[in-house]
Amino acid sequence: MTATLPLRLTDHTQLRRRVLALAENRPAVYRMLDPTGRVIYVGKAKRLRNRVLSYFRARYPDDKQARILNAAENIEWDEMPSEFAALLGEMRQIQRYRPAFNVRMNRSRRIGFVKVSPGPAPKIYVGNTPGPDGTMHYGPFTAVGRLRESVRALNDLLGLRDCALRMPMAFPEQGDLFNAGQHALCIRHELQLCAGPCAGLVSECDYKSRVETAVAFLEARAIAPLDRVVEEMTHASEQDDFERAAWWRGKFEHLEWLLSASTRSRAALAALTFVYLDPGTYGDDRAYIVNHATVRAAAPAPRTPIEQEAFRALVAEHAQWAPSPGAVPMAAIDEMLLVLQWFRRRPGAFGRTISFDDWLRGDSAVAFASGRPGQC
């Protein structure tokens, strides 16, 4: 059910009465609209009435809730069968409307991605929000501090830039676009940690080859530059240069951690592949087809043999899907994080999952009919 509450900007008393009269204490996604009908905020509520009424108790202008309410003229909401459905609905509506008062999905700063920027001189860096169009994303990773150190080690070893994305780049093949003898704009080139694409000190082909090596490492398709680190560390030890050997060992530990963390991240996404029965607050249970931490389809929980057969066909259709190897699709990042966090914070939810294979074999019929699926 969708309810719309038109209201003049200053008539908050009347709005509160309408919320009291129409809103129920059940999961929902609500939207605040300005006088032009534009959605300015999307939120989710486990108990809709309590959540929306809290806006009227907020103090203006100190509290964000009060500022949102002050800018809103209408309130709409969609009732949801459960908290999980509300979270999923909130995320998708934020992606659809891009409301001014929603800030980057409130993504946790404890989650990070390795990002590879587009352009002739790509930059490899760490962030917790999707990058510009064309950016490749790897992850997610939880130990963001260690992730930054490891990516810095990867950049240093391959001579990749870490300057601002807007920094102009120049390559030797561009000829008279820059003056001969130009110097790099930071000290990393002098320290042999950057190839100097800002000053035409490396060809575009050479630089792209370095980036491709880094991408292959992030995707576990190659171990370079880890092999070079091992070789240099061994050579320093043989020369009794223990200080140098320790320096290389530090680089080895960073790269080894990054390779392992990338593998664990891919495995964690792949493990979230199953049918999930989500109990509804008022008995309206739903079954979600989750593949690599993305919700591919959903339907009312199938109870009868006919419903189960129809749902089995839906499972068969989406079980064939697999993400492309390599970077995480930017459009799927928010949903993947939502699903990952849902099951991480609620390990008991795994007890309401069933593998695709069990569904396709028909082993799930009795379990779903009784509402008690087994551990996948």
Side-chain angles (χ1 to χ4, degrees):
M1 182 185 84
T2 300
T4 302
L5 306 180
L7 178 75
R8 297 183 64 85
L9 186 62
T10 58
D11 193 4
H12 289 170
T13 300
Q14 182 66 17
L15 177 58
R16 184 175 182 277
R17 289 174 180 169
R18 294 183 180 182
V19 170
L20 283 168
L22 297 177
E24 298 182 19
N25 257 339
R26 61 172 297 156
V29 177
Y30 60 91
R31 296 174 295 279
M32 302 283 191
L33 288 74
D34 68 10
T36 68
R38 181 172 57 98
V39 176
I40 59 174
Y41 184 75
V42 173
K44 72 91 183 173
K46 189 174 181 179
R47 297 176 179 84
L48 175 65
R49 182 188 298 173
N50 291 350
R51 178 60 176 166
V52 175
L53 289 177
S54 69
Y55 282 78
F56 298 91
R57 296 190 295 269
R59 297 180 59 184
Y60 183 84
D62 298 333
D63 297 337
K64 180 180 178 181
Q65 287 180 306
R67 295 195 299 272
I68 295 173
L69 185 63
N70 186 69
E73 182 172 353
N74 294 348
I75 299 178
E76 298 178 347
W77 66 76
D78 302 320
E79 293 178 349
M80 295 290 171
S82 67
E83 184 183 5
F84 180 75
L87 282 166
L88 194 63
E90 177 196 33
M91 179 214 59
R92 290 177 174 174
Q93 290 193 29
I94 289 175
Q95 290 179 335
R96 176 183 176 185
Y97 296 113
R98 301 294 179 185
F101 280 97
N102 287 97
V103 181
R104 296 286 190 177
M105 289 293 299
N106 295 320
R107 188 179 292 109
S108 171
R109 294 185 179 181
R110 294 175 294 179
I111 297 292
F113 290 87
V114 178
K115 302 197 278 190
V116 183
S117 70
K123 174 183 176 179
I124 299 181
Y125 60 107
V126 174
N128 72 330
T129 58
D133 290 344
T135 301
M136 296 191 298
H137 298 76
Y138 295 90
F141 302 88
T142 53
V144 179
R146 190 164 188 180
L147 179 63
R148 294 185 191 279
E149 294 175 354
S150 299
V151 170
R152 186 180 301 114
L154 183 66
N155 284 334
D156 289 348
L157 289 165
L158 292 174
L160 302 179
R161 71 186 186 99
D162 70 353
C163 49
L165 288 172
R166 62 181 180 274
M167 179 70 69
M169 296 291 118
F171 296 102
E173 50 266 39
Q174 292 176 290
D176 59 1
L177 294 183
F178 59 92
N179 297 324
Q182 184 173 352
H183 298 289
L185 300 178
C186 74
I187 198 174
R188 289 184 70 239
H189 179 263
E190 295 181 21
L191 298 175
Q192 299 183 346
L193 300 176
C194 179
C198 63
L201 301 173
V202 60
S203 69
E204 183 175 2
C205 181
D206 183 7
Y207 190 85
K208 285 188 175 180
S209 176
R210 295 166 185 252
V211 173
E212 289 170 1
T213 298
V215 168
F217 181 80
L218 291 170
E219 297 177 359
R221 294 186 286 106
I223 63 170
L226 191 59
D227 53 351
R228 177 198 164 197
V229 173
V230 172
E231 181 180 342
E232 294 285 358
M233 184 171 59
T234 302
H235 178 71
S237 297
E238 292 174 349
Q239 299 297 316
D240 294 334
D241 189 347
F242 300 115
E243 183 176 349
R244 188 68 175 169
W247 186 87
W248 282 108
R249 174 170 289 279
K251 299 296 182 185
F252 174 84
E253 291 174 350
H254 286 314
L255 292 187
E256 183 186 41
W257 179 87
L258 181 57
L259 187 61
S260 298
S262 297
T263 302
R264 290 194 301 271
S265 178
R266 286 190 293 273
L269 295 177
L272 292 175
T273 299
F274 40 60
V275 174
Y276 170 52
L277 176 65
D278 186 44
T281 303
Y282 292 96
D284 44 354
D285 302 355
R286 292 188 67 80
Y288 293 88
I289 298 176
V290 181
N291 194 333
H292 284 74
T294 58
V295 177
R296 306 296 300 173
R303 303 299 188 194
T304 67
I306 293 177
E307 291 173 342
Q308 290 167 4
E309 189 62 31
F311 190 75
R312 188 175 295 114
L314 194 61
V315 172
E317 175 186 349
H318 291 284
Q320 302 302 317
W321 178 85
S324 301
V328 174
M330 187 167 67
I333 286 176
D334 289 322
E335 186 165 312
M336 293 169 105
L337 289 177
L338 185 155
V339 173
L340 278 166
Q341 292 174 2
W342 177 264
F343 284 95
R344 181 179 295 128
R345 294 173 181 174
R346 298 166 180 82
F350 281 105
R352 297 190 294 273
T353 63
I354 291 180
S355 70
F356 288 169
D357 288 343
D358 284 348
W359 255 107
L360 297 176
R361 285 196 303 265
D363 296 346
S364 56
V366 175
F368 262 74
S370 63
R372 295 187 301 274
Q375 180 76 28
C376 73

